Amino acid sequence: NLSVRAAIQYLMSPRTTMELRYLRAQQFNARGSNYQIVDRLDYIWTQNLARQLVGRALVFFEHSDPSGVNPQRSADGSDSVPISSARSTSRWGVGVGARYALTDWMDADFSYDYTRVNGAGQPRSYSEHRALLGLTFYLQGLKPAPSGGSGR
């Protein structure tokens, strides 16, 4: 895989951040004959709502364009005549989430995302709803207790 990422972040205030991210990736299959180019644009807004609570909102758009050099099936059983070429897809979505600091070394996270996938053929279009609940542990927050002694 080959990818290029770019991001710009703007601190609107000590409590509010906006970020714009762009990703361009070229993904290859194991044989190297097929590839897919992915372009993705993300806009993320975060807000410190309280000392321990951070909220976020996300909007994204993604376009995938596969090469379709080697079709999976052919009309006559050979690899020479494809039934259909690989189709490009577009996805867009929105999301909201919150992170609450339970301790110095652990956060609780909740997020909800809605995604719409539009394939080149209408039967391939669909929507996704995803809700996540998780815990994040920060190992650097666990500091060893100071030892008493000369250390010899």
Side-chain angles (χ1 to χ4, degrees), residues 107-125:
D107 291 348
D109 301 302
F110 172 76
S111 66
Y112 168 78
D113 297 313
Y114 169 80
T115 302
R116 178 74 182 161
V117 179
N118 298 314
Q122 288 305 318
R124 293 185 51 198
S125 298

Side-chain angles (χ1 to χ4, degrees), residues 57-68:
L58 163 77
V59 176
F60 79 89
F61 177 79
E62 179 179 293
H63 180 77
S64 300
D65 191 19
S67 66

Side-chain angles (χ1 to χ4, degrees), residues 36-56:
Q36 174 172 276
I37 297 174
V38 177
D39 290 299
R40 181 176 171 123
L41 188 63
D42 292 280
Y43 173 74
I44 304 161
W45 172 80
T46 58
Q47 175 74 42
N48 290 358
L49 302 170
R51 188 177 75 78
Q52 294 176 296
L53 182 62
V54 176
R56 78 155 174 95

Side-chain angles (χ1 to χ4, degrees), residues 86-146:
R87 300 177 184 196
S88 60
T89 58
S90 296
R91 298 176 353 132
W92 64 268
V94 295
V96 293
R99 173 173 283 183
Y100 184 77
L102 298 169
T103 67
D104 287 343
W105 52 271
M106 184 172 56
D107 291 348
D109 301 302
F110 172 76
S111 66
Y112 168 78
D113 297 313
Y114 169 80
T115 302
R116 178 74 182 161
V117 179
N118 298 314
Q122 288 305 318
R124 293 185 51 198
S125 298
Y126 60 92
S127 297
E128 296 176 341
H129 299 271
R130 182 177 60 178
L132 298 172
L133 180 62
L135 294 174
T136 304
F137 297 93
Y138 301 98
L139 298 179
Q140 75 271 16
L142 298 173
K143 296 185 175 119

Side-chain angles (χ1 to χ4, degrees), residues 25-40:
Q26 189 167 9
Q27 303 165 343
F28 297 92
N29 71 355
R31 296 186 336 198
S33 56
N34 283 337
Y35 65 90
Q36 174 172 276
I37 297 174
V38 177
D39 290 299
R40 181 176 171 123

